[in-house]
């Protein structure tokens, strides 16, 4: 199944984006990343997308490691760091979608 993550990092710093992507690689080494860019609606934030092809059991494992409290359905869910525990302290927002 194809999956996509939209990740917003709370700092305008390419080095921190790289740290977040490295942490994500430790959870799931099958990810491919878009170039990071400034997040247009949040001052001082960067964003990137990660995609992969995963099996159902890999998706369950990934979701459990990325965040502790998702909002939405399993195939289209999101989380904000102000009320959940993210896989990295600099992740402000994450959205997961499977296709």
């Amino acid at each position: 199944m194809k999956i996509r993550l939209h990740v917003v990092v709370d700092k305008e710093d390419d080095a921190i984006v790289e740290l977040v992507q490295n942490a994500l690689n430790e959870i799931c080494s099958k990810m491919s990343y878009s170039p990071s860019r400034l997040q247009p609606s949040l001052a001082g934030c960067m964003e990137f997308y990660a995609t992969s092809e995963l099996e159902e059991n890999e998706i369950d494992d990934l979701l459990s490691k990325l965040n502790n409290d998702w909002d939405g359905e399993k195939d289209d869910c999101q989380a904000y760091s102000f009320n959940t525990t993210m896989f990295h302290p600099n992740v402000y927002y994450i959205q997961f979608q499977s296709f």
Side-chain angles (χ1 to χ4, degrees):
M1 184 175 293
K2 292 182 182 183
I3 65 110
R4 182 185 77 171
L5 294 173
H6 175 212
V7 181
V8 177
V9 177
D10 67 359
K11 301 277 189 258
E12 200 174 306
D13 186 336
D14 289 327
I16 292 177
V17 170
E18 186 176 343
L19 290 173
V20 170
Q21 290 175 343
N22 289 341
L24 188 52
N25 280 336
E26 290 181 22
I27 296 168
C28 181
S29 62
K30 297 180 180 182
M31 293 291 183
S32 297
Y33 299 102
S34 72
S36 61
R37 65 179 186 176
L38 292 176
Q39 209 294 328
S41 63
L42 295 169
C45 292
M46 301 280 288
E47 69 180 355
F48 66 88
Y49 290 88
T51 59
S52 188
E53 183 83 27
L54 300 176
E55 299 296 324
E56 190 71 30
N57 64 323
E58 293 173 306
I59 291 172
D60 292 339
D61 186 52
L62 176 67
L63 288 174
S64 70
K65 291 178 179 174
L66 292 179
N67 188 270
N68 69 329
D69 188 22
W70 293 95
D71 289 328
E73 300 299 318
K74 180 180 168 183
D75 65 339
D76 187 7
C77 51
Q78 63 186 351
Y80 289 89
S81 63
F82 57 83
N83 60 353
T84 66
T85 302
M86 291 290 184
F87 70 97
H88 189 278
N90 289 107
V91 175
Y92 171 74
Y93 170 83
I94 189 167
Q95 179 191 40
F96 171 87
Q97 293 179 309
S98 61
F99 310 95

